[in-house]
Amino acid sequence: HFDSRRFASPPDACLHPRPAMASTTFGNGVPYGDPNWYTAGYHSQYYKQTHVEWRARCRAFVEEHIMPNVSEWEVNKAIPKDAYIKCYEAGLLPVVVGPKSGAFDLVPAQAPAELDYFHELIFVDELARCASGGVLWGLIEGLQIGLPPVLNFGSEEMKKRVAPPCLMGQKVISLNITEPSSGSDVASLKCMAKKEGDFYIVNGNKKWITNGIFSDYFTTAVRTGKPGMGGISMLLIE
């Protein structure tokens, strides 16, 4: 027995407002090569004009400053320092630490209108079009995971001293947690930190650290107390 009531439309009061519809297609229209939420006729309740403009800005930077250099950087196994600085000067680098981090308030850079997490996603998405995981991670990932602990839990003095040069591409920061004997099992890490006077003496090993070999700052998980998660602290090592 077919019951048409099961398929009836809900009352108007239950309907969500109709999302905006893209009027033009973004990019070259290559299937799966451009975001379908910008395809003419496609509806999205999340993406706005500010995201379209931001993606165009990100794409222009990547195509001019990143893509032509990827092969050389891969061969040299290094990204030149000026690449980070150019990324900041284009107003892009601070977005990778999140819209609520206050990053754009710490440096002279203009945030995109109505800044949200989709702007961060879009920049990473566009940077990935360079087709090099090494370049992608080397350029932004150390900053993306290494600076938030400083922004969220560091003192005001630390934030003002450390964050601006990292956000402006002048310094590199990395997150140091993984050890040869503990990866996902963070609670078992063995790197010890013992306070002596005004300083901590750190002894131990870290491995597989993104940007670790060329960082200026190291946001580091160390053991300062008892075994287990409760004995772990975070230190900023310079």
Side-chain angles (χ1 to χ4, degrees):
H1 175 69
F2 178 79
D3 186 352
S4 61
R5 293 174 297 177
R6 295 176 57 195
F7 300 92
S9 299
D12 290 343
C14 298
L15 295 175
H16 296 291
R18 186 178 182 183
M21 183 174 66
S23 58
T24 58
T25 297
F26 184 93
N28 299 321
V30 178
Y32 307 106
D34 281 308
N36 62 358
W37 48 84
Y38 296 142
T39 302
Y42 186 90
H43 297 274
S44 173
Q45 60 181 328
Y46 304 108
Y47 286 86
K48 308 172 185 177
Q49 184 60 30
T50 178
H51 300 115
V52 177
E53 295 170 357
W54 176 252
R55 185 177 291 276
R57 182 173 163 187
C58 294
R59 182 165 298 193
F61 174 80
V62 171
E63 291 184 346
E64 180 179 356
H65 297 287
I66 304 298
M67 287 183 174
N69 301 303
V70 167
S71 296
E72 179 183 348
W73 295 348
E74 289 275 13
V75 171
N76 295 337
K77 297 182 179 180
I79 300 174
K81 288 289 293 183
D82 68 339
Y84 298 88
I85 295 173
K86 288 179 180 178
C87 191
Y88 161 71
E89 291 176 343
L92 308 180
L93 197 57
V95 80
V96 304
V97 291
K100 298 181 180 180
S101 66
F104 282 98
D105 297 326
L106 295 171
V107 294
Q110 182 63 47
E114 302 178 70
L115 176 63
D116 60 21
Y117 285 106
F118 286 102
H119 290 97
E120 180 180 358
L121 181 152
I122 286 167
F123 178 45
V124 178
D125 193 27
E126 286 300 312
L127 190 57
R129 295 179 77 248
C130 77
S132 170
V135 170
L136 172 65
W137 280 67
L139 189 60
I140 67 169
E141 196 58 31
L143 178 67
Q144 191 171 43
I145 61 178
L147 191 60
V150 173
L151 295 175
N152 292 319
F153 304 107
S155 65
E156 288 301 314
E157 183 278 330
M158 180 185 291
K159 284 189 281 189
K160 291 178 181 178
R161 176 170 52 86
V162 174
C166 292
L167 294 168
M168 296 171 74
Q170 300 166 351
K171 299 280 188 177
V172 177
I173 192 169
S174 59
L175 180 67
N176 296 250
I177 294 180
T178 305
E179 299 180 1
S181 60
S182 59
S184 57
D185 183 15
V186 176
S188 68
L189 65 80
K190 301 175 181 178
C191 184
M192 300 290 296
K194 183 178 180 181
K195 191 170 185 179
E196 295 188 6
D198 295 330
F199 300 93
Y200 280 91
I201 305 300
V202 179
N203 286 296
N205 297 301
K206 295 294 180 181
K207 196 169 184 180
W208 304 294
I209 303 302
T210 301
N211 293 5
I213 61 174
F214 54 87
S215 287
D216 301 288
Y217 300 110
F218 304 84
T219 307
T220 309
V222 295
R223 186 163 302 284
T224 55
K226 62 185 180 181
M229 187 61 71
I232 296 175
S233 300
M234 294 294 291
L235 288 182
L236 178 69
I237 300 177
E238 303 181 41

